[in-house]
Amino acid sequence: MNQRAPEDQAHHPGTVRTSSELLVDLRERSPLVQCITNTVVTNYTANVLLALGASAAMVDLPTEAGPFAAVASGLLVNLGTPHAEQRAAAVEAVESAAIAGTPWVLDPVAVGGLPVRTDLARRLVAARPTIVRGNPSEIIALAGLGGGGRGVDSSDSPDDALDSARLLAERHGAVVAVSGAVDLITDGARVVRVSTGTPLLTRVTGGGCALGAVMAAFASLTADALAAAVAATTVYTVAAEQAAEEARGPGSFAVALLDRLASVDGADLVARSVRA
Amino acid sequence: MNQRAPEDQAHHPGTVRTSSELLVDLRERSPLVQCITNTVVTNYTANVLLALGASAAMVDLPTEAGPFAAVASGLLVNLGTPHAEQRAAAVEAVESAAIAGTPWVLDPVAVGGLPVRTDLARRLVAARPTIVRGNPSEIIALAGLGGGGRGVDSSDSPDDALDSARLLAERHGAVVAVSGAVDLITDGARVVRVSTGTPLLTRVTGGGCALGAVMAAFASLTADALAAAVAATTVYTVAAEQAAEEARGPGSFAVALLDRLASVDGADLVARSVRA
Amino acid sequence: MNQRAPEDQAHHPGTVRTSSELLVDLRERSPLVQCITNTVVTNYTANVLLALGASAAMVDLPTEAGPFAAVASGLLVNLGTPHAEQRAAAVEAVESAAIAGTPWVLDPVAVGGLPVRTDLARRLVAARPTIVRGNPSEIIALAGLGGGGRGVDSSDSPDDALDSARLLAERHGAVVAVSGAVDLITDGARVVRVSTGTPLLTRVTGGGCALGAVMAAFASLTADALAAAVAATTVYTVAAEQAAEEARGPGSFAVALLDRLASVDGADLVARSVRA
């Protein structure tokens, strides 16, 4: 966290104010997020969106995914279990999103060593996602700077992935969000770090995957994709901090996170960010 | 809720007594419900059935789904994520159910605008489901009276769908259940309204989908499909009301609903229905 | 539980000590378990592994599943919803596991009456799994001694399946674990019974499926597959006993089980086993 310029702070009062305003917007407009995601996390992802005040639709069939992406508020494409029909659906959805101007998030789960998703990720990232979200190993692998991580785990820290994130951002015109103890979000030029959160997020499956869906929801509310990714991360990790305080372990944490996503508000963002 | 005749009341003492008796039956006989349902809600649906005292089997493969439907107590076909194998499984399952006399429930999720599920729903509803369950937009779309809703959400109220529900009921010989703040259930002639429930059900994914499975369980216990749909809805929404009172948000509500489905009994149905 | 020899006791002090040591090992080494499992339980299975201190990766695609099985610590193949791609993935994964020496667990869900999974189970068991885990009906069906059970439920008791379990163990060189009120685990020669647990495990979907994944995690830590299966069963059922004491029903039980899997330790194993 050295070498931070003042504009690099998610906890800068102006950034927190923007995140709070976007959160109010989200609850008023209830964006509908199309999720093409893996079979492990569909349920939790939908519940995260509903708890927060957004809507979710898991439309991941060929011939349905494309048309739906044209009318959805935002789109998530997560490569956790990309079966054949879902791969075709993902390709047609991002093409449709590009034409319709639907913002979309790419989560290249476990990309690098596994051939099917790696080929698909390469193709999808070239279609210029609004936001790319991953752990450090995934971001490094996607940028072509490394050989991939340990499956869905990450053995690197977000700052190890900073150069890769910047490269991806510049090459594809995307905002890139790297998850870790301190989350790192960049549009290539600016770098924002979000230090709220809890290690319990790593003990619940889909903790990161659901954040990708939340980013798609926020990206539907503003043309500033960096602000959207920062707001999503801040809201999610502040709710997670609150949930951790009332949890007795990873099971009750996952439940409390849904409760806190429904209640978290601007005052909570201020209180946690000042403290962070 | 104007123009209600006395026989239209789920809270009529005789109706509550029937629901209570069916609930006792369900726990004694533990019907096995075959679920062909979407990837988002499989887990919660199975847990709802198990909590209530029924059994669940997600047999949704071609060549397995047909034979299984002949021996299952009831069958749910939910069109939330109808991938190719599941579509073939659904068709063979309902054919087998018809021959074997297995009661079955059709939940036409997001039907109307999306082509794959709309074609499948048209074919399946012609196979004469015992019960059709959906939100108002889905029921209107399935009846061919409207152009579909906003994905899985519903922008209409149950009473907007009453004519469509009656039409579907008469055309296909089915009981039709329309979910909303007040659930509406009809066999074409009679209309029953169930006013127990909580808005938190709309903040948990699969809240409606799981009710479809519960209807299939109750439909296995009686030849009176209207009574089965009313009992399922009453039991489910009374448990949901109880759960809402102990919840701190949508996460703990979903957990508490499972707890209350395991404990809800006839006395609870009476107490809540008198109050409703 | 008659005719037990002293060496048949999971609650023998030496056995409990081994289980405790393996639990410490698991948390230090965090084995990565590849799960090829059914769509109903993927989420809960991953959360069980994460709560316990292991890692999970649901890599179940052809061309990815094989290479991944060569580097994973352990592999679970569960036949609950074996769609076509998953069947191909399962076959290549077990072939790869055999070459790489990756221990693997076969869970033949609902095998017997359903043709697709029964054919696949026959092929997979011939590939010599490290551990076979199932309910009594499934073990009896897999051994060819019976006609299958009632879908995913089991109408037999573990001791009814003892001869079948021994036969499978001897024929395929596997440890066989049969779930029930008292779990029974055998390598053909030795038989160990584990009597900790709670009936609430039968009210949560995937309670048994997740135990298969835990067995794969423990099997990666020791060449003694019997000790691994006993340790997995003991840790899981002790945590389940603890969870049952704080639960208000099946919903809060499933949550509390994740909390207790994260906290259970050797002292808990000793305390519960002495009492059992």
Side-chain angles (χ1 to χ4, degrees):
Chain A
M1 298 202 297
N2 51 346
Q3 299 177 306
R4 277 205 274 172
E7 67 270 28
D8 289 355
Q9 306 254 7
H11 308 307
H12 184 281
T15 307
V16 173
R17 193 164 58 240
T18 302
S19 294
S20 299
E21 289 167 1
L22 288 171
L23 177 56
V24 171
D25 268 10
L26 185 146
R27 293 201 174 116
E28 280 176 9
R29 294 162 64 179
S30 189
L32 175 59
V33 180
Q34 178 179 6
C35 299
I36 299 179
T37 191
N38 69 76
T39 55
V40 185
V41 305
T42 46
N43 185 270
Y44 198 69
T45 301
N47 277 334
V48 161
L49 289 170
L50 290 174
L52 192 58
S55 293
M58 306 288 168
V59 180
D60 65 350
L61 283 180
T63 82
E64 291 194 345
F68 199 80
V71 299
S73 312
L75 167 67
L76 167 69
V77 179
N78 170 301
L79 305 186
T81 54
H83 292 266
E85 285 178 282
Q86 213 183 49
R87 293 197 297 277
V91 169
E92 73 173 52
V94 305
E95 286 173 357
S96 172
I99 293 167
T102 305
W104 67 284
V105 175
L106 174 65
D107 190 335
V109 179
V111 77
L114 298 167
V116 175
R117 67 194 69 201
T118 301
D119 287 352
L120 181 59
R122 196 171 286 132
R123 179 169 178 183
L124 292 175
V125 77
R128 304 182 74 82
T130 313
I131 299 171
V132 177
R133 195 214 76 78
N135 66 34
S137 299
E138 291 158 352
I139 297 303
I140 292 169
L142 189 62
L145 298 178
R150 180 175 175 264
V152 294
D153 288 330
S154 182
S155 41
D156 302 296
S157 86
D159 272 295
D160 294 335
L162 179 54
D163 289 346
S164 295
R166 279 189 168 128
L167 185 73
L168 278 175
E170 286 160 11
R171 195 192 289 160
H172 302 292
V175 163
V176 179
V178 192
S179 56
V182 176
D183 290 63
L184 182 158
I185 302 162
T186 183
D187 61 2
R190 293 173 293 169
V191 177
V192 180
R193 285 174 176 81
V194 179
S195 60
T196 38
T198 162
L200 275 170
L201 273 173
T202 65
R203 301 292 292 276
V204 175
T205 195
C209 296
L211 175 54
V214 174
M215 286 183 182
F218 276 98
S220 73
L221 304 171
T222 172
D224 183 345
L226 187 75
V230 170
T233 306
T234 303
V235 167
Y236 193 75
T237 56
V238 163
E241 270 194 18
Q242 295 176 318
E245 289 167 8
E246 56 189 86
R248 294 177 302 277
S252 48
F253 168 72
V255 172
L257 177 51
L258 296 175
D259 288 346
R260 288 310 128 236
L261 284 167
S263 66
V264 64
D265 62 16
D268 296 323
L269 302 192
V270 171
R272 297 276 164 174
S273 295
V274 168
R275 214 195 58 188
Chain B
M1 299 204 297
N2 51 346
Q3 299 178 307
R4 276 205 274 172
E7 67 272 27
D8 290 355
Q9 305 254 8
H11 308 306
H12 185 281
T15 307
V16 173
R17 192 165 57 240
T18 302
S19 295
S20 298
E21 288 166 1
L22 287 172
L23 177 57
V24 171
D25 268 10
L26 185 145
R27 292 199 174 118
E28 280 175 10
R29 293 160 65 177
S30 189
L32 174 60
V33 180
Q34 178 180 5
C35 299
I36 299 180
T37 192
N38 69 75
T39 57
V40 186
V41 305
T42 46
N43 185 269
Y44 198 68
T45 300
N47 277 334
V48 161
L49 288 170
L50 290 174
L52 192 58
S55 293
M58 306 288 168
V59 180
D60 65 350
L61 283 180
T63 80
E64 291 194 346
F68 200 80
V71 299
S73 312
L75 166 68
L76 167 70
V77 179
N78 171 301
L79 305 186
T81 54
H83 291 266
E85 285 178 280
Q86 213 182 49
R87 294 197 296 276
V91 169
E92 74 172 53
V94 305
E95 287 172 358
S96 172
I99 294 167
T102 305
W104 66 284
V105 175
L106 174 65
D107 190 336
V109 180
V111 77
L114 299 167
V116 175
R117 68 194 68 202
T118 301
D119 287 353
L120 182 59
R122 195 171 287 133
R123 178 169 178 182
L124 292 175
V125 77
R128 304 182 72 83
T130 312
I131 299 171
V132 176
R133 195 214 77 80
N135 65 35
S137 299
E138 292 158 352
I139 296 302
I140 292 168
L142 189 62
L145 298 178
R150 180 176 176 263
V152 293
D153 286 330
S154 182
S155 42
D156 302 296
S157 85
D159 272 295
D160 294 334
L162 179 54
D163 290 346
S164 295
R166 280 188 168 131
L167 185 72
L168 278 175
E170 286 160 11
R171 194 192 289 159
H172 302 292
V175 163
V176 179
V178 192
S179 55
V182 175
D183 292 292
L184 181 157
I185 303 163
T186 183
D187 61 2
R190 292 172 294 169
V191 179
V192 180
R193 285 175 174 81
V194 180
S195 60
T196 38
T198 162
L200 275 170
L201 273 173
T202 65
R203 301 291 292 276
V204 174
T205 195
C209 297
L211 174 55
V214 174
M215 286 182 181
F218 276 98
S220 73
L221 304 170
T222 172
D224 183 346
L226 187 75
V230 170
T233 306
T234 303
V235 167
Y236 193 75
T237 56
V238 164
E241 269 195 18
Q242 296 177 315
E245 288 168 7
E246 55 189 87
R248 293 177 304 277
S252 48
F253 167 72
V255 172
L257 177 51
L258 296 175
D259 287 346
R260 288 310 128 236
L261 284 167
S263 66
V264 64
D265 62 17
D268 297 322
L269 302 192
V270 171
R272 298 276 164 175
S273 295
V274 168
R275 213 195 57 186
Chain C
M1 297 203 298
N2 51 345
Q3 299 178 306
R4 276 204 276 173
E7 67 271 28
D8 290 354
Q9 306 254 7
H11 308 307
H12 184 281
T15 306
V16 173
R17 193 164 58 240
T18 302
S19 294
S20 299
E21 288 167 1
L22 287 172
L23 177 57
V24 171
D25 268 10
L26 185 146
R27 292 199 174 118
E28 280 176 9
R29 294 162 64 178
S30 189
L32 174 60
V33 180
Q34 178 180 6
C35 299
I36 299 178
T37 191
N38 69 76
T39 56
V40 186
V41 305
T42 47
N43 185 269
Y44 198 68
T45 300
N47 277 334
V48 160
L49 288 170
L50 290 174
L52 192 59
S55 294
M58 305 288 168
V59 180
D60 64 351
L61 284 180
T63 81
E64 292 194 347
F68 200 81
V71 299
S73 311
L75 166 68
L76 168 69
V77 179
N78 171 300
L79 304 186
T81 54
H83 292 267
E85 286 178 281
Q86 213 182 50
R87 295 198 295 276
V91 169
E92 73 173 53
V94 306
E95 287 173 357
S96 171
I99 294 167
T102 305
W104 67 284
V105 175
L106 175 64
D107 190 335
V109 179
V111 77
L114 298 167
V116 175
R117 68 194 69 202
T118 301
D119 286 352
L120 182 59
R122 195 170 287 131
R123 178 169 178 181
L124 291 175
V125 76
R128 304 183 71 82
T130 312
I131 299 171
V132 177
R133 195 214 77 78
N135 67 33
S137 299
E138 291 158 352
I139 296 302
I140 292 168
L142 190 61
L145 297 178
R150 180 175 176 264
V152 293
D153 286 329
S154 182
S155 41
D156 303 295
S157 86
D159 272 296
D160 294 335
L162 179 54
D163 289 345
S164 295
R166 280 189 167 129
L167 185 72
L168 278 175
E170 285 160 11
R171 194 192 289 159
H172 302 291
V175 162
V176 179
V178 192
S179 55
V182 175
D183 291 280
L184 181 158
I185 302 162
T186 183
D187 61 1
R190 294 173 293 169
V191 178
V192 180
R193 285 175 175 82
V194 179
S195 59
T196 37
T198 161
L200 276 170
L201 273 173
T202 65
R203 301 291 292 274
V204 174
T205 194
C209 297
L211 174 54
V214 173
M215 286 183 181
F218 276 98
S220 74
L221 304 170
T222 172
D224 183 346
L226 186 75
V230 169
T233 306
T234 303
V235 167
Y236 194 75
T237 56
V238 164
E241 269 195 18
Q242 296 177 315
E245 288 167 8
E246 55 188 88
R248 293 178 301 278
S252 49
F253 168 71
V255 173
L257 176 52
L258 296 175
D259 287 347
R260 289 308 128 237
L261 284 167
S263 67
V264 65
D265 62 16
D268 296 322
L269 302 192
V270 170
R272 297 277 165 175
S273 295
V274 166
R275 213 195 58 186

